[in-house]
């Protein structure tokens, strides 16, 4: 066999392209053939190939050299590493034989990939909503709510930054054009901006619009804080709406309720609601019902505001012991709410901010400072010189590349038209609007060198590499330092590139990696729509929902910032809690809204598997789901997702109408069906080990009146008991976990699904990271230095 060639070695030796060539065959494959003949051919033969796979006459001396067989061998490797084949009950090789054959196959595949690298050919990539929002922030120093301007993006392979699904329909293009017009007005501070109404609802989808914000004083509850961009100096009206039930009634009016309003943490208004005329609720149901629908009509105020981002916070003071938000009413009684129930806690429904009124252009804002690097002098020539300076800088950052004469001429044409209509600022505004709808801004476009032959791997340019890197780590455009290195042609130098990765990870903008990668990998975004059954879990509220998300985000970010071993995601003996979440977990001596790092005395909560976010996102509204939890572990932690269930498989029967009542016993009855058993035998054991956690992550000892049995066994004979035992099992398979995390990160980094030719790159990244104790930085640098990240395949015939 030829000496092993690493992928990084191939990268160093590449100039502008790599020609496709054959790799020499292994000298002997006798023991490999004997092993396959003994254990595999009974099922995977030419006459009756199970799963449409035959290994009887496959050429073992050509593993990796035939493109149509690469995927088959990669799937064989996965089955060998997971000990899934041969099926339980059939003769099986020794564990060392599994590893020996898998290692030989991996070496053969990796050697072939090193000799003929295939980095793939990503499609043109439209900026998704998160990337667009961050790009506007970094380009214009302007915070916008992307949800206000653009719809949610479709997802593929678990992420919403996959180029294949980021299409551009005519209606979406229209949304981009409307957004560009509004954003250019906001950035310049156009005094012609018309009053608008912005509503921040009680159930937010972004942390900065949350009730647990630091903008809220200690001990308050039931409220909401919003960071709002005020585009001009002027008057703005703030309207407070209280939360209503399904019957359109406001709760908690039996007693007076104090409400305070704060602007940038300074209290500016107080209101008292409730207790008016409701002396005998049972004798005054009709009056009370009418009052409950109009009690918040007077909760409004007008304030003078200087342009910029400011925080508005509304809360109920000194009420922290009460539940947060309205609990969802029981469906059976949603239409039968009586006045006697009106002593339940009041909560905020929304904050409405309208304006500006009587507005004037601001003298200065962060956006104007970022935009106007020079001032107009009042002459055509002088103003055009200033506009040229502004637009050169703006277009360079927006297009992520040097600006050419054609770019500048087009933008100066828009500037001249706007200046003629409304002066210098209007000219810059019109040119900015053109930039924000330019394909060079909305899309990540990579060109193909003319000298590259067909079906050949070649390096992307340094400028294109800068965009790949910034959208991977920041979900945004490159900054000036990164772009300057790329324009100078030094970014791709190994030491320079590594320094930039470490610098970018230390920057606060890398929190996008937590929000956008971890938020989807760990199902945190799913919590926005989770609605636990109020009959089964009356203690669940919106504050707990947000606390779940914040705990996991802070936990992952701490691991990333401290550059820990990624395996500590499973084993860490600490987490981040505030009072609401600590009370839910049964952890004492944690007070207030502020999240802080808390050591965990019990081994049950250690790592991700004990966090309420994941446990809730993988449960049903009224009960746990070992199947969903097991599927999540197989897919996201072990890289072995089960196939989708057949369409005719019945659901698990409700415990209220069946016996036995525990989820474990019902699953055992469900698995009587052999069609179900084949997949459930792989999934359910992982979820059953997490049964000490209920459907919202609380601890419990019984299910359906039955003492919980958290022991589990896998088809290969492995067994474990409870969360601690499951954690130990995963630690015993830590290389599979690291490989799975690497695949997820690489998918996210490339913006495409991984193909049959990508596993060699994954293995190279994992092997290199092992030498650095699987640190986060070693994985991320390995991805950035990999063949698929730094290269691209040219077009085929």
């Amino acid at each position: 066999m030829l000496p092993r060639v690493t992928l990084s070695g191939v990268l160093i030796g590449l100039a502008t392209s790599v020609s496709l060539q054959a790799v020499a065959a292994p000298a002997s494959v006798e023991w490999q053939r004997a092993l396959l003949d003994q254990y595999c051919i009974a099922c995977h033969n030419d006459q009756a190939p199970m799963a449409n796979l035959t290994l009887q006459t496959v050429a073992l001396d050509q593993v990796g050299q035939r493109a149509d067989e690469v995927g088959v061998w990669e799937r064989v490797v996965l089955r060998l590493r997971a000990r899934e084949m041969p099926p339980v009950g059939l003769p099986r090789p020794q564990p060392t034989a599994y590893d020996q054959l898998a290692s030989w196959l991996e070496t053969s595949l990796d050697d072939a990939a090193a000799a003929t690298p295939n980095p793939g050919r990503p499609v043109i990539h439209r900026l998704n909503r998160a990337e667009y929002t961050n790009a506007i922030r970094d380009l214009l120093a302007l915070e916008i709510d992307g949800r206000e301007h653009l719809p949610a993006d479709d997802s593929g392979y678990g992420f919403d930054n996959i180029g294949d699904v980021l299409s551009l329909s005519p209606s979406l293009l229209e949304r981009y054009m409307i957004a560009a017009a509004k954003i250019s007005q906001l950035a310049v501070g156009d005094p012609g901006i018309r009053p608008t109404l912005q509503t921040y609802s009680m159930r937010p989808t972004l942390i900065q619009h949350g009730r647990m914000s630091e903008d809220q004083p200690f001990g308050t509850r039931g409220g909401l804080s919003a960071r709002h961009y005020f585009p001009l100096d002027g008057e703005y009206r703030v309207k407070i709406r209280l939360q209503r039930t399904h019957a359109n009634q406001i709760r908690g009016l039996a007693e007076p309720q104090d409400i305070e309003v704060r602007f940038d943490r300074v209290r500016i208004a107080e209101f008292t609601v409730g207790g008016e005329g409701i002396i005998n609720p049972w004798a005054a149901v009709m009056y009370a019902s009418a009052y409950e629908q109009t009690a918040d009509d007077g909760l409004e105020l007008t304030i003078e505001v200087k342009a910029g981002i400011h925080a508005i916070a509304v809360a109920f003071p000194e009420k922290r012991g009460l539940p947060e938000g309205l609990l969802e009413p029981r469906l059976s009684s949603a239409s039968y709410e009586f006045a006697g129930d009106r002593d339940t806690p009041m909560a905020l429904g929304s904050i409405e901010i309208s304006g500006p009124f009587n507005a004037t252009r601001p003298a200065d804002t962060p956006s104007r400072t970022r935009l106007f690097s020079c001032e107009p002098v009042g002459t055509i020539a002088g103003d055009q010189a200033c506009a040229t300076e502004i637009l050169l800088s703006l277009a360079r950052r927006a297009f992520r590349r040097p600006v050419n004469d054609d770019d500048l001429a087009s933008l100066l044409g828009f500037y001249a038209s706007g200046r003629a209509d409304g002066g210098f600022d209007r000219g810059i505004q019109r040119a900015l609007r053109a930039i924000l709808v330019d394909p060079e801004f909305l899309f990540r476009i990579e060109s193909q060198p003319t000298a590259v032959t067909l079906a050949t791997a070649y390096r992307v340019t340094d400028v294109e590499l800068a965009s790949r890197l910034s959208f991977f780590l920041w979900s945004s455009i490159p900054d000036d330092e990164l772009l300057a290195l790329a324009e100078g042609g030094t970014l791709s130098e190994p030491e320079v590139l590594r320094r930039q990765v470490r610098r970018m990870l230390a920057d606060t903008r890398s929190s996008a990696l937590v929000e956008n990668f971890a938020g989807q990998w760990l199902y945190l975004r799913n919590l926005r729509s989770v609605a636990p059954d109020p009959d089964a879990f009356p203690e669940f509220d919106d504050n707990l929902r947000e606390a779940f998300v914040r705990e996991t985000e802070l936990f992952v970010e701490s691991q990333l910032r401290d550059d820990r071993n990624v395996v500590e995601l499973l084993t860490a003996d600490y987490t981040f809690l505030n009072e609401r979440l600590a009370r839910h977990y049964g952890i004492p001596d944690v007070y207030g809204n502020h999240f802080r790092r808390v050591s965990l005395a019990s081994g049950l909560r250690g790592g991700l598997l004990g966090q309420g976010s994941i446990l809730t996102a993988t449960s049903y509204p009224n009960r746990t789901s070992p199947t969903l939890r097991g599927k999540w572990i197989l897919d996201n932690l072990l890289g072995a997702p089960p196939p989708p269930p057949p369409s005719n498989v019945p659901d698990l029967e409700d415990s209220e109408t069946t016996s036995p009542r525990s989820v474990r016993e019902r699953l055992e009855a469900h698995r009587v069906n052999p069609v179900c058993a084949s997949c459930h035998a792989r999934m359910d054991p992982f979820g059953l080990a997490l049964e000490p956690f209920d459907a919202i992550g609380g601890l419990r000892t019984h299910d359906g009146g039955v003492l919980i049995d958290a022991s589990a066994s896998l088809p290969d004979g492995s067994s474990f008991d409870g969360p601690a035992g499951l954690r130990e099992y995963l630690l015993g398979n830590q290389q599979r976990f690291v490989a799975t995390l690497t695949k997820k990160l690489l998918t996210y980094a490339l913006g495409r699904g991984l193909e049959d030719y990508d596993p060699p790159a994954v293995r190279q990244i994992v092997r290199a990271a092992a030498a650095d104790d699987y640190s986060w930085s070693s994985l991320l640098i390995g991805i950035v230095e990999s063949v698929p990240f730094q290269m691209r395949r040219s077009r085929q015939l």
Side-chain angles (χ1 to χ4, degrees), residues 723-751:
L726 173 56
R727 196 174 299 114
E728 289 300 318
Y729 173 84
L730 293 174
L731 285 178
N733 290 269
Q734 66 173 321
Q735 192 171 29
R736 287 181 63 191
F737 167 71
V738 176
T740 301
L741 174 57
T742 302
K743 291 176 184 177
K744 299 291 184 180
L745 279 167
L746 187 59
T747 299
Y748 177 81
L750 299 177

Side-chain angles (χ1 to χ4, degrees), residues 123-126 161-167 750-752:
V123 300
I124 293 176
H125 186 122
R126 174 177 63 80
N161 69 334
I162 304 301
D164 287 338
V165 299
L166 289 172
S167 58
L750 299 177
R752 66 168 174 83

Side-chain angles (χ1 to χ4, degrees), residues 53 126 181 279 291 359 374 401 453 569 585 670 718 746 774:
L53 170 65
R126 174 177 63 80
I279 300 174
Y291 176 66
C374 58
R401 60 167 176 78
T453 58
L569 290 171
Y585 286 170
H670 188 69
S718 303
L746 187 59
Y774 294 131

Side-chain angles (χ1 to χ4, degrees), residues 125 136 150 178 231 265 270 276 313 320 335 448 450 466 491 519 531 564 585 676 679 691 730 733 736 738:
H125 186 122
I136 295 296
L150 300 172
I178 294 172
R265 299 191 181 186
E270 289 183 287
E276 301 180 23
R320 76 170 191 267
S335 301
Q448 177 175 312
T450 56
L491 178 61
R564 307 298 299 176
Y585 286 170
C676 303
C679 289
E691 278 295 275
L730 293 174
N733 290 269
R736 287 181 63 191
V738 176

Side-chain angles (χ1 to χ4, degrees), residues 13 76 85 214 289 301 335 406 409 482 521 534 626 630 676 684 697 706 710 718 771 784-785 792:
V76 170
M85 292 294 167
E214 295 301 311
S289 179
L301 65 156
S335 301
D406 290 340
L482 189 63
W521 173 50
C676 303
D684 294 351
V706 178
S718 303
V784 171
E785 293 181 336
R792 182 181 175 88

Side-chain angles (χ1 to χ4, degrees), residues 512-780:
L513 195 60
V514 177
E515 180 180 345
N516 298 322
F517 168 72
Q520 296 178 85
W521 173 50
L522 300 177
Y523 288 11
L524 300 184
R525 291 187 181 181
N526 295 12
L527 288 173
R528 300 170 183 170
S529 57
V530 162
D533 184 348
D535 287 335
F537 302 102
E539 69 274 26
F540 185 85
D541 57 29
D542 277 340
N543 208 18
L544 185 59
R545 180 198 312 275
E546 288 187 30
F548 283 159
V549 175
R550 195 67 181 137
E551 175 195 18
T552 304
E553 287 183 336
L554 288 171
F555 173 72
V556 174
E557 187 163 7
S558 76
Q559 294 279 311
L560 181 62
R561 298 276 182 231
D562 295 340
D563 201 18
R564 307 298 299 176
N565 182 323
V566 296
V567 179
E568 289 189 20
L569 290 171
L570 306 176
T571 63
D573 60 355
Y574 71 91
T575 190
F576 289 82
L577 304 175
N578 69 349
E579 180 178 0
R580 178 68 185 90
L581 188 54
R583 188 166 67 243
H584 180 67
Y585 286 170
I587 296 176
D589 303 324
V590 178
Y591 302 103
N593 291 341
H594 176 67
F595 277 80
R596 77 296 312 263
R597 177 170 168 158
V598 177
S599 297
L600 299 171
S602 168
L604 286 176
R605 290 282 177 195
L608 291 171
L609 294 179
Q611 296 187 4
S613 58
I614 294 168
L615 294 166
T616 303
T618 55
S619 294
Y620 289 122
N622 63 337
R623 64 168 175 84
T624 61
S625 173
T627 299
L628 290 180
R629 289 176 175 177
K631 180 179 181 297
W632 183 85
I633 290 171
L634 280 174
D635 188 3
N636 291 281
L637 303 186
L638 294 174
S647 58
N648 59 344
V649 173
D651 293 332
L652 200 63
E653 295 185 51
D654 194 334
S655 63
E656 297 299 323
T657 60
T658 62
S659 180
R661 299 168 63 89
S662 75
V663 171
R664 172 184 280 272
E665 291 172 320
R666 282 183 282 150
L667 279 172
E668 290 173 352
H670 188 69
R671 286 198 298 269
V672 171
N673 184 339
V675 176
C676 303
S678 61
C679 289
H680 280 271
R682 293 176 56 212
M683 294 185 291
D684 294 351
F686 296 111
L688 289 170
L690 297 177
E691 278 295 275
F693 299 111
D694 65 22
I696 59 170
L699 288 174
R700 61 178 183 171
T701 58
H702 289 74
D703 175 33
V706 178
L707 184 67
I708 289 175
D709 175 9
S711 62
S713 298
L714 293 171
D716 66 0
S718 303
S719 61
F720 38 83
D721 191 353
L726 173 56
R727 196 174 299 114
E728 289 300 318
Y729 173 84
L730 293 174
L731 285 178
N733 290 269
Q734 66 173 321
Q735 192 171 29
R736 287 181 63 191
F737 167 71
V738 176
T740 301
L741 174 57
T742 302
K743 291 176 184 177
K744 299 291 184 180
L745 279 167
L746 187 59
T747 299
Y748 177 81
L750 299 177
R752 66 168 174 83
L754 299 191
E755 303 292 346
D756 292 340
Y757 45 77
D758 288 313
V762 173
R763 287 190 286 269
Q764 169 64 16
I765 295 165
V766 173
R767 279 193 295 267
D772 193 23
D773 199 28
Y774 294 131
S775 67
W776 274 96
S777 63
S778 65
L779 278 183
L780 296 173

